[in-house]
Each structure stands twice: as structure tokens, then as C-alpha cells.
Amino acid sequence: MNSTTERELLDASFAGRGLSAATRTELWHAVDSILSEGPLSESGGPGRTGLALGYVQSGKTTAITALVGAAVDAGYRIVVALLGSTNLLLQQNQERLLGALGVGEREDYRWIHMTNPSGVARAREMKDWLDRDRVLLIPVLKHAGRIDALAKILESLVSSSLPVLLVDDEADQASLNTEVNAGAQSRTYEAVGRLRAAAPNHVYVQFTATPYAPLLLEPDDHLSPDFVELLQPGPGYTGGREFFVDHADIVVRPIPTLDEQPAKSPPTQLPKSLVEAFGSFVAGTALLLAEDVGAAPVSMLVHSTQRNDVQARYHFLLQRLVRRWGDAALGAPTAAELPAEISAERSRIVGLGAKDVSDAVFLERVRFTLRETTLWLVNSASDVTKVDWRVAPVHVLVGGNKLDRGFTVEGLTVTYMNRPPSEQLDTLEQRARAFGYRGDLLPYCQFFATPRTLKVLREIVDTEYDLRARLRDWLAEGRPVTAWANEVGLILPAGTRPTRQAVITALSRFNERPTWYQLRRPALAPVDLAGNAHLVQSLGLIEAGERDYGRLAHPTLLLTRLEAVDGLLRPWRGAGGGTSPGWRHEELVDLLTRTVGDDERIPTILMQHPDGGPRAREWDAELGFVNLLQGADPRRRPGEPWYPGDRAVGGALENPDQVVIQVHRVTSTQPGLVPDLFTLAVHAGSRQILRKA
């Protein structure tokens, strides 16, 4: 038998695929860290649950392969891999894993793989292979029946000491308990529990790019992670930040909200924006293949709805468009006679940085692209069980939920998503299958979606990076994973939830709806009054230039987060302790620290009487100032300035995402009851913090 270790074989394979030495070193470090938690490590133990957190389309399969290989080197004899909740996903992921490990091609008699084993005969066969010192690799469909069948085999086969690696790909999807009734368990979740019990000397590793559900589970849930490993993508990875923030001007293509696909109405014709998107795909593919024929396959994804009948209609209309444009391209004597959408998108893509070619070459490549365009309808009603990337160099996939999660679309350059945005972050983020392309190919990568969808996808970038940064810091301090959701939690875009409501319970939200937080009951001790006045003076707000807000003008500064939050809000004296109704000082500071970017400016405004003195406000012994915020002028008078009210000052009414800090100079209407002082009102934007209650 071959004495070469799996790690050595895989490392050479990864190097051959272009992974740098630094990337491979980081990958093996993550793998070793995971295995250090398992039963074969002195620092680990049996039955532990881990979470391996990657990015969407960032090479999690490579990490799974490396973990499997290193586990076998360490002495694990059985590897169970839950590789998808559909046969399409199972087949795709199984082929990639087996191919990477060389199973079925090697001659060293190390591996035996069995997919979805069940029954007594399979149990005997597996025992025989174990007795002959083989390693069993068992890919399994994430389905209760399949998992139960394997659990029964392991119960009769596995001794309590036999080490087993359990890998759960896309672990936040089908494995979790979706039963809403207290004490009940969904079938797949229950089956996973039986599988773990059947092989007690195991480590269970969940892989996902959207970890919101696992991190928010109750600590006593057997799928709640005991440890987390943050996987790093290679240096060329392009993900949400590259698509929707850093290079949005190149990649993002807003489509009209009216082109959003209604739930139940199949289209009679293709939306104009989809015709434009297909023109971008044809032009981009022609240019890309003219530059590098090895870039094939090149693909487009059309995601309009979850309904099979509507998807089928899009598929039919696109087939008709491909035929019509193909005939037009064949009959065009020059590139100038090509359909206008193709010509316009050629100019756009070249303007974004793609390399142009001569008109003659472009015309020939467009004809080739349209002739080779192969359309696939990928849904539960279609006959397609597998997209065969080898039958053609150019593909268009039309589908919905089956293309959401885990499915790899080879060479995806153009995404058209006119499906209404999901409220669930994990679902919407997983729909972005375009990630992972090389940065130099971004001009060819175009993402067409409605403004609502694009807004949430942009804000998910902040959620994702905030989660990873806060979680890394939390774990580096030696704190338990299970406490993170209670103490830190997630930043959420407005109107969203992290995952299915059935999976997680007992959540609390801060800033669930955009509102003004008023420090109505400020500290009245002389030292606090003097300290806050000094903060306002030091900031330069008293001498700031006035900005016109209608009938009234207020001194206004545009401050960085560091200046406004760390220089004013955080050190504000007497703001903590919960003595002011509705004021949440620590949570406001936390929210703004996590959601305001370094390059953003926060309008910070001094609200005072036009003569430069304090405003007079009613004071209640329990509530403090009854209302700091002045309302709008009751009537507009023609030709006279009108004041829209304090709530509009700073732009929060026009833009709910806007963060505004107002410093109110006030006193009480009752003479001598409250001195002239400064206090705060804050509009914290539209994002929320979600924690376990």
C-alpha cells in the first residue's frame, strides 16, 4: 500500500490547482484546529459539535476535502458526509469530493465509498472492509430515511471506540429542528441525533457560509456549536463586498421594480431588463471566449420565482429569444447589424475594463455564443437531474429554489434576479451564486436585480463582516460560543430576519423600527452638567455654522464615527444606568459603532432657541422632559419658510437609514426646576441588533 499521507497527496493537488503556499498553510491550520477538538486529540473529546464558517462560493468543498484527508491520517476510520438535501446537490458534491480525493482512481486500496447505504447486506460489506483496514467514505442525502438507514447500520457495526468524522455541508439548512411545537423534533433533525448516538466517538463539523441559525440555537440543542473555525478564502476570491460595495459601479445593474416577477402570473413576454441582461451575457461571453477560449464554460442564471410553471415560461421565452438572435447574427453582414442590446452591452463591458476585439472577431464569437447557448430548466418538475457542463461551452440556467443553496453554477458571469427579495438573510445571501470569480473578470460579471434586493444584499455585507469580526474577537478572549448570541448578536438590515422562524426562538431586537431615542431624563449633578457642556464645546458644535432647515437654522457639523460616537455619544455623562425611559445608551453606542462606516459622516446638530439660549420643555418628575423634539409648523403659508419639525432635521425622514445625533439645549418650563443643560436625541438608522433573549 502507498505510504504517502492524504495530506501530502491533497497538498500537491491543491498546489496544482493554483492554491498558493500561504493559502494552503492557512487551510491546513484550520483543519488541524478542527481536529484538535475531536476524540483523537488530547485537548478534544467525543461528541463535540463544530462550525466551520466560510463565505458563499468560497471553496468550502476544498476545506471539506482537506478535513477528510487529515482526519484519515489522524486515524478516523469512517467519514460520513451529509452533502445535500436534494439528489442534485448530493450528486454534485459527491463527485467533487470523490474526485478531489481520487477515490475510484487510486490503486493504494485505502478508500471504499458507499452512497446512502442501507440494509443488512451493506452492513456486512462495511464490516468486511473495516476488518480489511479500509477507510469508509459514506456520502448521504440529508433525508430522514437515508440517515436513519445509516444509523441502524452503525448501531450494529461501530464499537463505541471507533472514531468517526461526521461532516454536514450547508448545515444551517435541512439538519436543524424545524418543528414549532414545544418538545417535538422534525424528522431530519431527529435522524441526525440518532446518527450521532450510533457512533458516539465522533466529531460533528457543520460547514456553512450563512451561520445565523446555528449560532442562535439554544445551548442545549445538540447542533449548537461547541467551537467555531473561521475559514479564509483564497486571495483572489470575489464575494459580497467586491460585488455590492467595492466594485458595485462595475457589477451592479438595478432593474425596474415593475420588472419584479409577480407570485402567480407567468410572463407573456420577457421583461426588457432581462433582454438587456441576456445581451450583456452574449456580449461578455463573446469577448471572454475571444480572449481566452479556456474560460468555458460560461453561464448565466435567471432566478425569477419558486414556481415551476413560471420558470418554464421564462425558459420558453428565452429559447425563442436565443433562436431569434441566432438567426439575426447569422444574417448580419457586420457587427453593426447585431441586435442593439448586444452592441450596447459590448460598449459597456469594454468601458468597464474588458478587452475589446475587432468587429469581425466579435461577430464570429457572437454567432458561436448564440449557437452554443444551452438552456437548462432546473426545478422539481423538470427532467433535468444534473446540469452537464461538458456538453457545451455556454449555458443559461433557469430555476429557483434548486439553484439557491450549495449548487455551483460553473463560470457564472451574469445573474438576473427579479424574484422579490426574501426576508431571510441566509436564503437571500445563498442566492448570490455569482461569487468566487477572479477579480480581473469582474467586468464580465453583471448582477441584475431590483433596488430592494440590491439594498439588502449590500447591507448583508456589513452583517457578514461584522459577525466574523465580533465572533473572532469573542473567541480570542476565550469566551464560549453559546454566549455570543446573548451578548453580541447580529446586525440586521431593516425588515429582515436571520433565518426561518421555526428554527430559532426567544430573540430580542434593538432598533427594530427606525425611531428617535431621546435622553429625556439627563443627569442633573453639576459635575455631569459641566462635563457634557465641555464635550459639546470641545466638539466645536456651539461655534459651528448654521444650516437652514426651513423657518429655523441650527448649528450643524458632519462628523466621522470616531468624532460623533467616541467623542460625544460614548462619553456622555449620566446617560447609562437605564434611568431615562426609552434611552438605550450602551446599545446605541454598540449599534452605531458597528454600522457606521469609517468614511460616513453623521449630521450632528445643536438644537436650541433661535436667540442662542435653551428651549423650554415640560418636565415630569418621573419621565424627565416630556418631549424634546419640536413638531412641524402646523400650517404652510405661501411665500413664507416652513419648519418640518425636529424629526426631519438631519435627513432621517427622507432616508430612514440616516444616522443623526441632535444635541438639545433645554431647560424646564417650570422656573428653577431644571437648569440650562445639554441632552441628546439620536436617530440610529434602520439596522437592528438581534440577540438571544
Side-chain angles (χ1 to χ4, degrees):
M1 291 195 181
N2 193 343
S3 60
T4 307
T5 67
E6 295 297 319
R7 184 186 300 243
E8 291 168 338
L9 291 171
L10 286 171
D11 195 66
S13 174
F14 295 156
R17 285 166 39 195
L19 270 67
S20 68
T23 299
R24 301 198 312 275
T25 297
E26 199 164 61
L27 174 61
W28 292 118
H29 175 77
V31 164
D32 290 339
S33 178
I34 291 171
L35 292 178
S36 72
E37 301 283 348
L40 297 186
S41 169
E42 292 182 2
S43 59
R48 289 177 63 76
T49 302
L51 176 65
L53 172 54
Y55 292 92
V56 173
Q57 296 286 85
S58 67
K60 291 194 304 298
T61 303
T62 299
I64 291 174
T65 305
L67 176 63
V68 169
V72 170
D73 287 340
Y76 287 84
R77 300 293 310 286
I78 297 177
V79 176
V80 176
L82 305 175
L83 293 181
S85 56
T86 66
N87 287 317
L88 186 65
L89 272 181
L90 174 64
Q91 187 173 16
Q92 171 196 271
N93 294 333
Q94 174 180 271
E95 287 182 357
R96 294 171 67 186
L97 179 59
L98 295 178
L101 291 168
V103 177
E105 300 173 2
R106 291 161 49 172
E107 298 179 356
D108 57 2
Y109 311 113
R110 181 174 286 170
W111 291 94
I112 298 294
H113 90 272
M114 299 180 180
T115 304
N116 292 327
S118 64
V120 175
R122 274 297 199 186
R124 292 196 189 103
E125 185 181 353
M126 290 167 64
K127 183 179 185 306
D128 179 57
W129 287 122
L130 287 172
D131 290 342
R132 293 161 67 177
D133 203 29
R134 300 299 195 271
V135 175
L136 298 182
L137 176 59
I138 307 173
V140 182
L141 182 69
K142 207 178 293 187
H143 176 273
R146 297 295 192 183
I147 298 171
D148 272 334
L150 175 59
K152 290 178 182 177
I153 291 177
L154 294 184
E155 284 174 354
S156 64
L157 180 70
V158 176
S159 70
S160 60
S161 61
L162 189 68
V164 177
L165 171 65
L166 300 177
V167 173
D168 187 348
D169 191 23
E170 303 296 348
D172 61 311
Q173 188 186 24
S175 306
L176 305 179
N177 190 10
T178 58
E179 180 57 62
V180 296
N181 296 320
Q185 296 183 356
S186 54
R187 290 194 61 209
T188 302
Y189 173 81
E190 191 175 31
V192 170
R194 283 194 288 268
L195 178 65
R196 301 186 68 174
N201 200 36
H202 72 265
V203 59
Y204 188 95
V205 186
Q206 307 171 87
F207 281 80
T208 185
T210 47
Y212 315 121
L215 288 172
L216 291 168
L217 294 176
E218 296 296 331
D220 60 353
D221 192 304
H222 76 85
L223 294 182
S224 177
D226 302 305
F227 64 93
V228 175
E229 186 64 34
L230 300 174
L231 305 176
Q232 299 299 325
Y237 174 71
T238 56
R241 173 167 288 178
E242 289 75 16
F243 268 69
F244 302 118
V245 180
D246 295 345
H247 303 291
D249 56 333
I250 295 176
V251 175
V252 169
R253 304 286 295 274
I255 66 176
T257 301
L258 290 176
D259 285 354
E260 202 168 84
Q261 173 59 43
K264 299 180 180 180
S265 303
T268 57
Q269 60 184 12
L270 292 176
K272 182 180 178 182
S273 58
L274 177 50
V275 177
E276 184 179 300
F278 186 63
S280 177
F281 175 65
V282 172
T285 302
L287 292 170
L288 184 57
L289 294 182
E291 172 69 14
D292 179 13
V293 70
V298 187
S299 303
M300 176 179 179
L301 172 62
V302 178
H303 192 135
S304 58
T305 177
Q306 80 277 17
R307 289 179 59 92
N308 294 338
D309 57 337
V310 179
Q311 294 166 15
R313 184 66 181 173
Y314 274 92
H315 183 264
F316 166 75
L317 293 172
L318 280 167
Q319 281 182 321
R320 196 165 66 178
L321 178 63
V322 171
R323 286 196 297 268
R324 187 168 72 247
W325 279 10
D327 292 341
L330 284 174
T334 67
E337 313 303 319
L338 287 169
E341 293 87 352
I342 298 176
S343 298
E345 290 298 320
R346 175 193 183 186
S347 298
R348 179 186 178 91
I349 294 168
V350 169
L352 294 175
K355 184 177 180 180
D356 202 2
V357 295
S358 69
D359 285 354
V361 171
F362 183 70
L363 176 60
E364 185 274 327
R365 289 287 89 185
V366 167
R367 289 171 175 167
F368 173 83
T369 296
L370 289 166
R371 183 175 69 248
E372 290 295 336
T373 295
T374 304
L375 279 87
W376 303 88
L377 180 59
V378 185
N379 61 32
S380 56
S382 68
D383 293 330
V384 175
T385 58
K386 176 187 173 186
V387 176
D388 191 343
W389 304 105
R390 294 165 295 188
V391 300
V394 185
H395 304 262
V396 176
L397 281 66
V398 180
N401 294 353
K402 283 192 174 292
L403 299 176
D404 267 5
R405 176 185 290 271
F407 187 85
T408 298
V409 183
E410 301 285 350
L412 178 58
T413 56
V414 175
T415 297
Y416 182 83
M417 189 184 298
N418 64 331
R419 182 174 177 175
S422 172
E423 293 180 352
Q424 289 182 199
L425 289 196
D426 52 6
T427 295
L428 185 59
E429 190 173 357
Q430 288 283 357
R431 286 178 189 166
R433 310 313 302 165
F435 299 164
Y437 238 108
R438 299 198 317 265
D440 59 340
L441 294 179
L442 279 176
Y444 305 95
C445 299
Q446 303 289 284
F447 199 102
F448 292 77
T450 62
R452 288 199 306 160
T453 295
L454 293 172
K455 180 178 184 295
V456 178
L457 286 170
R458 276 194 301 271
E459 293 182 355
I460 287 176
V461 173
D462 293 332
T463 297
E464 183 178 42
Y465 280 85
D466 177 82
L467 183 154
R468 292 177 71 95
R470 305 285 167 175
L471 188 57
R472 182 185 292 108
D473 292 345
W474 182 264
L475 298 175
E477 294 170 1
R479 302 189 182 189
V481 181
T482 52
W484 176 87
N486 298 75
E487 301 295 329
V488 181
L490 296 167
I491 295 292
L492 295 185
T496 65
R497 60 179 186 268
T499 188
R500 293 157 291 174
Q501 291 175 317
V503 171
I504 51 177
T505 58
L507 300 178
S508 68
R509 293 174 183 257
F510 172 65
N511 202 45
E512 186 167 5
R513 296 178 184 83
T515 189
W516 282 92
Y517 296 91
Q518 303 177 52
L519 183 55
R520 291 188 173 95
R521 192 179 178 86
L524 300 180
V527 65
D528 294 325
L529 297 177
N532 292 332
H534 178 71
L535 287 174
V536 177
Q537 181 71 48
S538 300
L539 205 60
L541 190 56
I542 294 176
E543 295 81 19
E546 291 189 339
R547 179 173 293 189
D548 187 5
Y549 293 101
R551 182 176 56 81
L552 299 177
H554 302 296
T556 301
L557 295 173
L558 296 179
L559 302 180
T560 65
R561 179 185 64 192
L562 185 66
E563 294 167 331
V565 178
D566 290 351
L568 180 69
L569 183 59
R570 189 189 302 274
W572 194 267
R573 299 176 67 95
T579 59
S580 183
W583 180 259
R584 309 274 287 277
H585 188 75
E586 290 184 5
E587 290 184 283
L588 278 170
V589 170
D590 187 25
L591 178 65
L592 299 191
T593 300
R594 295 166 67 176
T595 58
V596 178
D598 293 337
D599 57 346
E600 294 182 54
R601 290 292 185 269
I602 299 175
T604 306
I605 306 157
L606 178 59
M607 315 296 289
Q608 59 186 359
H609 195 274
D611 66 7
R615 290 167 159 183
R617 293 288 183 264
E618 180 184 354
W619 177 267
D620 180 270
E622 293 184 358
L623 298 178
F625 291 109
V626 175
N627 191 0
L628 292 172
L629 302 177
Q630 180 174 319
D633 289 347
R635 281 185 285 179
R636 292 177 183 260
R637 298 182 185 275
E640 295 184 11
W642 177 78
Y643 186 64
D646 289 356
R647 286 178 171 81
V649 171
L653 278 186
E654 295 86 356
N655 178 16
D657 295 338
Q658 180 66 56
V659 174
V660 182
I661 296 178
Q662 295 179 355
V663 178
H664 288 254
R665 186 175 182 181
V666 288
T667 188
S668 61
T669 53
Q670 305 94 317
L673 190 58
V674 175
D676 179 351
L677 57 80
F678 294 101
T679 190
L680 299 174
V682 176
H683 186 274
S686 62
R687 300 185 201 180
Q688 316 163 25
I689 294 180
L690 180 140
R691 296 184 176 94
K692 290 292 291 182

